[in-house]
Amino acid sequence: MELEEIYQRYYRDVYRFALGLTQDGALAEEIAQDTFFKAMKGLARFDWSKDIRAWLFTIARNTWYSHCRSQKRLISQEDLPQDLPSGVRIEERIEDAESAFAIHQFLHAMAEPYKEVFTLRVFGELPYEKIGRLFGKSANWARVTFYRAKVQIITHMEAMEHERDQL
């Protein structure tokens, strides 16, 4: 597959993934462009038995992390989300920019494979079957791993809320 064909087929997905990370259209576009530039340089080493979209998402995520490090982005206590009711779905919380950034910070520190599975499912919108194949596991493994990641995030957010309430 040629890079131009890959670009045409997956640019929109990579851009949406980057937008989910950045919450900024211009920055998401820049990250998407950088992703394809880096993909062009590494395409010869790509293992074609793997899902190329997941590979592109990984490049985009790492590009975002590099951008954050270069900008020395830090989050202050005021930037943390103010509430996280237990019944709220984590996918709904990601739509709120402040909560999304706090969740992304926690995701950055989360252990693998939880971080990767959660990212691929929520931001990459990959089905469990593809996530499982990517890891050489079953779709059920991907579901359970995603659920456990979600529980970790919700628990962390609730602990942050509890800490804030104690102050």
Side-chain angles (χ1 to χ4, degrees), residues 153 161 164:
I153 292 169
E161 179 183 338
R164 190 195 81 241

Side-chain angles (χ1 to χ4, degrees), residues 15-26:
Y15 171 78
R16 285 189 348 211
F17 177 79
L19 187 60
L21 293 172
T22 65
Q23 302 296 311
D24 178 336

Side-chain angles (χ1 to χ4, degrees), residues 52-155:
I52 193 159
R53 194 167 82 151
W55 180 62
L56 292 169
F57 290 159
T58 300
I59 294 170
R61 184 192 69 222
N62 291 337
T63 302
W64 164 241
Y65 291 159
S66 294
H67 174 78
C68 288
R69 279 190 298 275
S70 72
Q71 298 296 311
K72 295 185 181 4
R73 286 187 177 221
L74 300 174
I75 188 165
S76 67
Q77 193 67 23
E78 300 85 52
D79 293 331
L80 294 174
Q82 299 303 309
D83 62 336
L84 182 62
S86 299
V88 174
R89 290 176 30 136
I90 197 73
E91 295 89 344
E92 293 168 4
R93 295 297 292 180
I94 289 177
E95 293 174 5
D96 174 20
E98 290 179 11
S99 295
F101 190 74
I103 290 169
H104 284 296
Q105 267 199 315
F106 182 73
L107 268 173
H108 183 66
M110 185 181 275
E112 293 294 350
Y114 303 106
K115 173 176 35 177
E116 188 75 15
V117 170
F118 185 85
T119 301
L120 291 170
R121 179 67 181 161
V122 173
F123 302 112
E125 300 176 357
L126 286 180
Y128 293 116
E129 291 75 20
K130 284 191 176 183
I131 295 170
R133 272 190 299 183
L134 186 65
F135 284 89
K137 308 275 186 179
S138 69
N140 194 45
W141 174 88
R143 273 186 201 86
V144 169
T145 305
F146 175 75
Y147 173 77
R148 289 177 180 167
K150 224 164 69 161
V151 167
Q152 287 180 30
I153 292 169
I154 290 170
T155 301

